[in-house]
């Protein structure tokens, strides 16, 4: 240890701090995705989505997956994750149109979760 690092920190404390950070990153990025989706700012939505995906990767690593395993899972999704197009939401029924072109299931789930929250806040089903 260097002179500046006199305080010993247990591995458990480090892991708990990282889990707390990853969970906050997850929650904030999920809220950001919803916010920017509602504002129609696709560029910022995509940035929030990157942070959201990163939070999932961090949590997977903290749950015991190797970095190699996590990176192998995400490598194949880059091509399918473009989000160009229009999504139509019927607020009364909760029906969503425009997700057919999105092949990344994780992104679809995130959009559907955001849409569900929007419909709920607007008083629909």
């Amino acid at each position: 240890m260097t002179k500046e690092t006199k305080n010993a920190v247990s591995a458990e404390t480090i892991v708990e701090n990282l889990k707390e950070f990853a969970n906050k990153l997850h929650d904030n990025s999920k809220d950001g995705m919803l916010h920017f989706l509602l504002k129609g700012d696709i560029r910022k939505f995509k940035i929030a989505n990157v942070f959201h995906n990163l939070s999932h990767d961090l949590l997977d690593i903290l749950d015991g997956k190797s970095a190699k395993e996590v990176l192998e899972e995400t490598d194949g999704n880059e091509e399918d994750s473009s989000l160009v197009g229009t999504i139509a939401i019927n607020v009364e029924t909760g029906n969503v149109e425009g997700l057919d072109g999105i092949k990344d299931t994780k992104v679809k789930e995130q959009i559907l979760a955001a849409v569900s929250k929007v419909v709920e806040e607007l008083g629909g089903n």
Side-chain angles (χ1 to χ4, degrees):
M1 279 192 181
T2 64
K3 290 180 183 178
E4 295 85 29
T5 355
K6 291 182 181 179
N7 294 337
V9 180
S10 72
E12 291 83 13
T13 300
I14 293 169
V15 169
E16 285 306 311
N17 289 344
L18 285 170
K19 280 185 180 182
E20 182 181 346
F21 172 78
N23 282 318
K24 284 185 179 185
L25 180 64
H26 177 266
D27 293 342
N28 290 342
S29 60
K30 189 168 69 171
D31 290 344
M33 287 188 331
L34 175 61
H35 174 77
F36 295 122
L37 180 66
L38 291 174
K39 286 183 73 176
D41 191 333
I42 297 301
R43 185 183 69 79
K44 288 183 181 176
F45 173 85
K46 286 182 178 183
I47 292 169
N49 181 257
V50 167
F51 281 107
H52 185 256
N53 291 339
L54 180 61
S55 73
H56 279 276
D57 293 344
L58 286 170
L59 290 168
D60 286 346
I61 288 170
L62 290 165
D63 285 338
K65 284 189 179 181
S66 71
K68 183 179 180 181
E69 289 173 310
V70 170
L71 293 173
E72 285 175 353
E73 288 175 6
T74 59
D75 280 345
N77 294 334
E78 288 179 27
E79 204 175 287
D80 297 333
S81 66
S82 66
L83 297 172
V84 178
T86 302
I87 298 172
I89 306 166
N90 182 326
V91 179
E92 290 180 13
T93 65
N95 290 337
V96 181
E97 294 181 22
L99 296 178
D100 298 336
I102 300 173
K103 301 205 181 347
D104 186 334
T105 55
K106 195 183 248 186
V107 171
K108 269 188 183 179
E109 289 171 6
Q110 292 166 351
I111 291 172
L112 287 172
V115 166
S116 175
K117 191 170 182 177
V118 170
V119 170
E120 184 179 301
E121 287 182 16
L122 294 176
N125 282 340

